[in-house]
Amino acid sequence: MLDDYFSGFRMRFSTNDYTTNWINLEVGIAMGCTISQILFVMAMEVILKAAEGSAGPANLGGRCSMHPLKAFMDDTIIICSKEDETRRTLKRLDVLMSWCKIEFKPKNSRSLSIRKGKVDETMTFTVVEQQIPIVSQEPVKSLGRWYDSSMKDTRREAETLELASETLLAIHKCGLQGKFKTWCLQFMLISKLLWPLSVYDICSTTVEAIEAKINKYTRKWLGVPPGLSDVAMYCRKAKLKFPMKSILEEYKCGKAILLAILEESDDPVVKTIQPSLKTGREWKVIEAKECLKMKEIIGQTQTTARALDQPQPNGGQKQRSLTWNDIWHMAPLRISSSSGPSMISYPQTQIWYDGERRTTLHAHCAKVGKLQSMY
């Protein structure tokens, strides 16, 4: 059945002047086919099972060992404690791949040797009769994370800060309106920055510097004064709640989730090593976890002098949450005035009470409107 299914895969190329004949597909994974990925993983599993006998489990110290072969689709990682075991495994994989008519790409591969806690640049390996470049010569990116000979994330921290600055400047120079620039920031740039902030050991002070740059451009794009507090933009308990998220809060949530994943992992290696997350001196994810435990122990407490049965002293105002759909239909001047009553001067508005309804007269448009833009 599978033979009949894959025998009908054909393709052709078409240009403005010429169209090729139909060509049978015999190599590769068909895009959109759900069976091809499953068969590919099954075939790779058979190859790895045949090669895993060439090396024993890698000794990580502290009575902790790891399987010598790990793979994600066609990306294979070899982890061995001895040099001869690594060479035997590479030779065995080379023979198996040649039998399967699959070729390694040494230029896209990297080797990293560590002896006594330091990178050894003298040890090299070969596959398909070609030398594999070492990490000190060419860094490698695996699953979204860069690896180099320094074995530190100091350079990645500076690169993330530079990426944020360059992208913010590029968004600022585009011809979009301020509210559209803010949308690009919230749904494109912040999402792009959260991954390196999660996988690398970046301190919270760097994230605070990135958020300061983001807040500076956000105030410009929304037309609010530079002195507007960050609480007005990111607070979830204010009378007017904006649909914007703070990259610092997202960073802290991501580190907390990563800590929970590592502590509750079923992998025996992760349980034995108990890797730590470095977030700097000002904020530590372990201390945040302990604070949550303490709050759960204390429970709900009374924070004001009023009784529990008394209503909230909010003057009858209800909390209003703005959505991006609301912002799309707002004029730029109304967006700037939505940040609070302090943003509107007295000559611009005349406020009076008409029974239970509170209205305002905008001088710039001479029309009567509600104070929804102010609260």
Side-chain angles (χ1 to χ4, degrees):
M1 183 174 63
L2 291 175
D3 190 12
D4 295 339
Y5 175 75
F6 285 100
S7 62
F9 280 9
R10 297 181 180 183
M11 64 176 298
R12 64 179 179 179
F13 299 95
S14 178
T15 62
N16 295 331
D17 303 326
Y18 181 75
T19 301
T20 63
N21 297 326
W22 290 101
I23 305 172
N24 293 327
L25 290 177
E26 299 179 357
V27 180
I29 299 177
M31 182 180 298
C33 179
T34 58
I35 302 178
S36 299
Q37 288 85 348
I38 298 175
L39 294 178
F40 181 84
V41 172
M42 292 174 60
M44 287 296 299
E45 186 69 19
V46 173
I47 296 174
L48 296 178
K49 287 291 183 181
E52 66 180 4
S54 302
N59 184 16
L60 303 180
R63 298 181 180 181
C64 181
S65 59
M66 181 179 291
H67 198 275
L69 290 175
K70 291 183 174 295
F72 179 77
M73 294 299 290
D74 58 343
D75 295 335
T76 306
I77 301 175
I78 303 175
I79 305 174
C80 297
S81 303
K82 299 180 180 180
E83 179 182 357
D84 55 347
E85 291 182 352
T86 307
R87 298 189 186 279
R88 286 201 306 267
T89 306
L90 284 172
K91 186 176 180 180
R92 178 60 176 167
L93 284 175
D94 192 5
V95 173
L96 293 173
M97 292 298 179
S98 300
W99 175 74
C100 298
K101 297 181 180 181
I102 302 176
E103 294 183 359
F104 279 112
K105 296 180 180 179
K107 293 183 179 180
N108 298 337
S109 304
R110 299 292 183 273
S111 64
L112 175 64
S113 302
I114 300 177
R115 286 186 176 180
K116 297 181 179 181
K118 296 183 179 180
V119 178
D120 186 3
E121 300 181 359
T122 61
M123 188 180 301
T124 58
F125 301 94
T126 58
V127 66
V128 199
E129 299 181 356
Q130 297 182 23
Q131 182 177 342
I132 300 176
I134 59 179
V135 173
S136 58
Q137 296 175 350
E138 300 180 15
V140 62
K141 187 176 184 181
S142 177
L143 299 178
R145 180 185 176 94
W146 282 97
Y147 296 89
D148 54 11
S149 58
S150 65
M151 303 297 293
K152 297 180 181 179
D153 296 337
T154 306
R155 183 181 303 177
R156 309 306 164 197
E157 185 174 352
E159 290 178 355
T160 305
L161 182 59
E162 183 180 359
L163 173 64
S165 301
E166 293 178 353
T167 311
L168 282 171
L169 184 60
I171 297 175
H172 181 65
K173 290 183 177 180
C174 69
L176 297 175
Q177 296 182 9
K179 53 187 177 182
F180 298 111
K181 293 179 181 180
T182 308
W183 186 91
C184 295
L185 165 66
Q186 291 290 318
F187 291 93
M188 298 176 65
L189 177 58
I190 292 182
S191 301
K192 186 177 181 180
L193 294 176
L194 285 179
W195 178 252
L197 293 178
S198 300
V199 299
Y200 297 124
D201 290 334
I202 298 178
C203 61
S204 58
T205 53
T206 303
V207 185
E208 291 176 358
I210 296 175
E211 187 176 68
K213 295 179 180 290
I214 289 176
N215 295 340
K216 176 183 177 182
Y217 282 100
T218 302
R219 295 186 185 99
K220 286 183 179 180
W221 297 337
L222 295 182
V224 298
L228 180 66
S229 173
D230 301 343
V231 179
M233 294 187 293
Y234 304 126
C235 184
R236 297 306 178 198
K237 297 181 180 180
K239 298 305 176 185
L240 180 63
K241 184 171 66 175
F242 284 91
M244 295 183 293
K245 55 186 178 182
S246 170
I247 190 173
L248 181 61
E249 295 298 327
E250 296 293 328
Y251 162 79
K252 293 180 179 180
C253 292
K255 289 297 183 181
I257 293 174
L258 182 58
L259 177 64
I261 292 175
L262 294 176
E263 289 182 346
E264 300 176 4
S265 175
D266 296 331
D267 192 339
V269 177
V270 178
K271 286 184 177 180
T272 305
I273 296 177
Q274 287 294 321
S276 59
L277 300 178
K278 300 178 181 179
T279 57
R281 298 180 180 179
E282 293 188 2
W283 180 82
K284 296 182 180 180
V285 64
I286 298 294
E287 295 179 357
K289 180 181 177 181
E290 297 299 329
C291 290
L292 290 177
K293 288 184 178 180
M294 183 58 64
K295 288 182 180 180
E296 185 178 358
I297 294 174
I298 295 175
Q300 187 176 3
T301 59
Q302 183 73 12
T303 57
T304 59
R306 62 183 180 84
L308 293 176
D309 56 348
Q310 290 182 357
Q312 293 285 344
N314 56 0
Q317 300 172 6
K318 296 182 179 180
Q319 186 183 32
R320 184 189 176 200
S321 300
L322 286 179
T323 62
W324 286 107
N325 189 27
D326 298 332
I327 295 179
W328 295 150
H329 296 86
M330 280 186 178
L333 184 59
R334 188 180 181 189
I335 295 177
S336 61
S337 63
S338 299
S339 301
S342 61
M343 301 299 104
I344 304 176
S345 61
Y346 179 76
Q348 290 178 328
T349 58
Q350 296 177 1
I351 305 174
W352 72 93
Y353 287 92
D354 182 12
E356 297 180 355
R357 180 182 178 185
R358 194 177 188 184
T359 57
T360 179
L361 179 63
H362 291 264
H364 67 276
C365 61
K367 293 182 179 180
V368 176
K370 297 182 180 179
L371 277 184
Q372 293 179 355
S373 61
M374 297 176 60
Y375 297 103

